[in-house]
Amino acid sequence: MGARASIPDIVIGRLPIYLRALDRMIQEEKDYTSSHELGERLGISSAQIRKDLSHFGEFGKQGTGYNVQFLYEQIRHILKVDREWLMALVGVGDLGHAIADYRGFKARGFRIVALFDADPVKVGERIGDLTILPMEQLSAEIRHLGIRIAMIAVPAAEAQAVADRLIEAGVTALLNYAPITLAVPVGVRVQYIDPAAHLQHMTYYLAP
Amino acid sequence: MGARASIPDIVIGRLPIYLRALDRMIQEEKDYTSSHELGERLGISSAQIRKDLSHFGEFGKQGTGYNVQFLYEQIRHILKVDREWLMALVGVGDLGHAIADYRGFKARGFRIVALFDADPVKVGERIGDLTILPMEQLSAEIRHLGIRIAMIAVPAAEAQAVADRLIEAGVTALLNYAPITLAVPVGVRVQYIDPAAHLQHMTYYLAP
DNA sequence: CTACGATTGTTATGTTCTTCACATTGCTCC
DNA sequence: GGAGCAATGTGAAGAACATAACAATCGTAG
């Protein structure tokens, strides 16, 4: 297949998982894998993996399976992560600091190039080779750098207002660390990082 | 209804989202809400919210809606977060430090009471009122404190081994910050925190 | 005290997602 | 070079999930 017809979002959400596993296989210097092996590692059925991939093209060979490096590059291309993305971070408190220092972003092609904070005391402070800018410069800086992805690490009460400003400045993808659901116009994507919510999900299954 | 019959996991996963919204409404001193209002805030259909809640009981009143405080407490009870949970954290590098300092856990009833690291240099270091313990003490300490939830913040290459040790010590819920899918026996739950994966999910939808 | 508007809980319907199962293809080994 | 094994891609079947729709109920206002 490989049609351009709208592909289920849930499928897109699994591609980064496949990417993680393939990354690992590359480190293990594995040349080939199969839907069965991938599925085993990920706790996903092999049929699901084949079906997911079939939305985008034919990447495997019957009898042989998938070339790890090739599949890795194909998925990176599909997800558009075969390039570097520039990001802004709003809110540089404890959490924001940790996000700014987190190595997992650059390692996968996401580079933070702008920091903003509403606190005048923090403005001007340097983190790595970046200077924290005041909120007043947010729109201009984001437009100037052509940033389309932003991370929000401000208190819940301010997150919606920050999101509104970012969207107004042209951002269309938000990674929100504040424990609140954001209202955004169509065309803007939001993903949430809420570790406590994940814990709450698991406690349901724990014995009293 | 309110049956004990196995409730879809996807429903359990939405309860923490409802909780976040209700928490916020409590702060806004709202006394009552409706499935329609909740749904509007969360971008979820009102029918879905009513259906989700109906798995656990009848919490609303026709014509009136839901008492915010009451529903909040009911969901907390369902998720078993109407108490304090003790947690262990393994891996106290940059990321682990940030997790140890993160306020969002205590604020929602999750308390870190044990820290472990394999690096002898870090062992003995204090963070808040906790001392970083060596891996050798992991099993004994976790059993001693009766810990059932642990967070993993070690490099991907070591995460599986750490998970195995934690499970062996009696942990049955894991929050994994390492970018790798863990293999665990049935009865053990795993949730993943992988911000870069969320970003990769969103870049798919961005224009080239 | 009755009529009306609002909102729930739930059953029925529709949609989406997952798994099954197999024809097809490619590789390897004798 | 043909037989046998292995693994893909996919259409059909099945399962899970979401939405629609409505009877039942509650509160309120006249």
Side-chain angles (χ1 to χ4, degrees):
Chain A
M1 219 217 261
R4 262 302 103 199
S6 111
I7 290 156
D9 182 65
I10 197 165
V11 172
I12 307 302
R14 278 191 294 263
L15 296 184
I17 311 296
Y18 299 163
L19 220 43
R20 285 198 313 220
L22 291 166
D23 195 5
R24 222 155 160 67
M25 287 178 176
I26 289 170
Q27 283 168 42
E28 293 166 9
E29 303 192 33
K30 249 175 133 5
D31 288 336
Y32 278 85
T33 187
S34 65
S35 61
H36 183 77
E37 185 184 41
L38 259 175
E40 191 120 300
R41 288 205 187 197
L42 298 176
I44 291 177
S45 79
S46 59
Q48 174 126 88
I49 289 172
R50 292 199 300 280
K51 185 141 256 234
D52 283 355
L53 296 178
S54 77
H55 284 101
F56 304 98
E58 309 196 351
F59 304 120
K61 273 192 225 169
Q62 274 116 328
T64 310
Y66 301 94
N67 177 296
V68 171
Q69 188 69 49
F70 176 75
L71 184 57
Y72 179 74
E73 273 154 22
Q74 291 298 309
I75 295 180
R76 296 220 322 150
H77 180 71
I78 292 164
L79 289 174
K80 304 201 186 91
V81 291
D82 53 351
R83 70 198 76 176
E84 187 177 68
W85 288 96
L86 306 184
M87 297 195 295
L89 169 62
V90 185
V92 197
D94 286 345
L95 177 57
H97 255 94
I99 294 168
D101 292 337
Y102 180 56
R103 288 186 181 139
F105 291 129
K106 319 193 223 308
R108 290 198 255 175
F110 295 95
R111 186 152 66 99
I112 301 173
V113 293
L115 303 174
F116 303 96
D117 202 291
D119 182 351
V121 174
K122 289 194 188 116
V123 169
E125 185 187 313
R126 292 186 66 81
I127 295 184
D129 52 0
L130 293 175
T131 302
I132 300 176
L133 302 178
M135 295 299 286
E136 291 71 34
Q137 290 179 34
L138 187 145
S139 190
E141 187 73 0
I142 284 181
R143 285 177 204 279
H144 176 242
L145 295 174
I147 293 172
R148 286 186 283 159
I149 308 175
M151 299 187 283
I152 297 176
V154 302
E158 290 148 48
Q160 182 65 59
V162 167
D164 294 344
R165 292 190 68 164
L166 286 165
I167 292 163
E168 185 273 328
V171 166
T172 56
L174 293 169
L175 189 61
N176 180 29
Y177 283 80
I180 184 177
T181 301
L182 298 174
V184 300
V186 289
V188 176
R189 296 262 151 191
V190 189
Q191 292 277 319
Y192 296 88
I193 302 285
D194 188 345
H198 284 118
L199 293 173
Q200 291 176 332
H201 185 160
M202 293 194 288
T203 52
Y204 174 81
Y205 296 99
L206 294 179
Chain B
M1 219 218 260
R4 262 302 102 197
S6 111
I7 290 156
D9 182 66
I10 197 165
V11 172
I12 308 301
R14 278 192 293 264
L15 296 185
I17 312 295
Y18 299 164
L19 219 42
R20 284 201 310 222
L22 290 166
D23 195 6
R24 221 154 161 67
M25 286 178 177
I26 289 171
Q27 282 169 42
E28 294 166 9
E29 302 192 34
K30 251 174 131 3
D31 288 336
Y32 278 86
T33 187
S34 64
S35 61
H36 182 78
E37 185 184 41
L38 259 174
E40 191 120 301
R41 287 205 187 198
L42 298 176
I44 292 177
S45 79
S46 62
Q48 174 129 91
I49 289 173
R50 293 199 300 280
K51 185 146 238 267
D52 284 354
L53 296 178
S54 77
H55 285 102
F56 304 98
E58 310 194 351
F59 304 120
K61 272 191 226 169
Q62 276 116 328
T64 310
Y66 302 94
N67 177 297
V68 172
Q69 187 70 48
F70 177 75
L71 184 57
Y72 179 75
E73 273 153 23
Q74 290 298 309
I75 295 180
R76 297 221 320 151
H77 180 71
I78 292 164
L79 290 174
K80 306 201 186 90
V81 292
D82 54 350
R83 69 199 74 176
E84 188 178 68
W85 288 97
L86 306 184
M87 298 195 295
L89 169 62
V90 185
V92 197
D94 285 345
L95 177 58
H97 254 94
I99 294 168
D101 292 337
Y102 180 56
R103 289 187 180 137
F105 291 128
K106 320 192 222 309
R108 290 198 255 174
F110 295 95
R111 188 152 66 96
I112 300 172
V113 295
L115 303 175
F116 302 96
D117 203 292
D119 183 351
V121 174
K122 289 193 190 118
V123 170
E125 185 187 313
R126 293 185 67 79
I127 295 185
D129 51 0
L130 293 175
T131 302
I132 300 177
L133 302 178
M135 295 300 286
E136 290 72 35
Q137 289 180 35
L138 186 145
S139 190
E141 188 72 2
I142 283 181
R143 285 177 204 280
H144 176 243
L145 295 174
I147 293 171
R148 287 187 282 159
I149 309 175
M151 298 187 284
I152 297 175
V154 302
E158 290 149 48
Q160 183 64 57
V162 167
D164 294 344
R165 293 189 67 163
L166 287 165
I167 292 164
E168 185 273 328
V171 165
T172 55
L174 292 169
L175 189 62
N176 179 29
Y177 284 80
I180 184 178
T181 300
L182 298 173
V184 299
V186 288
V188 176
R189 295 262 151 190
V190 189
Q191 292 277 320
Y192 297 87
I193 302 285
D194 188 345
H198 283 119
L199 292 173
Q200 291 175 333
H201 185 160
M202 292 192 289
T203 50
Y204 174 81
Y205 296 98
L206 294 180

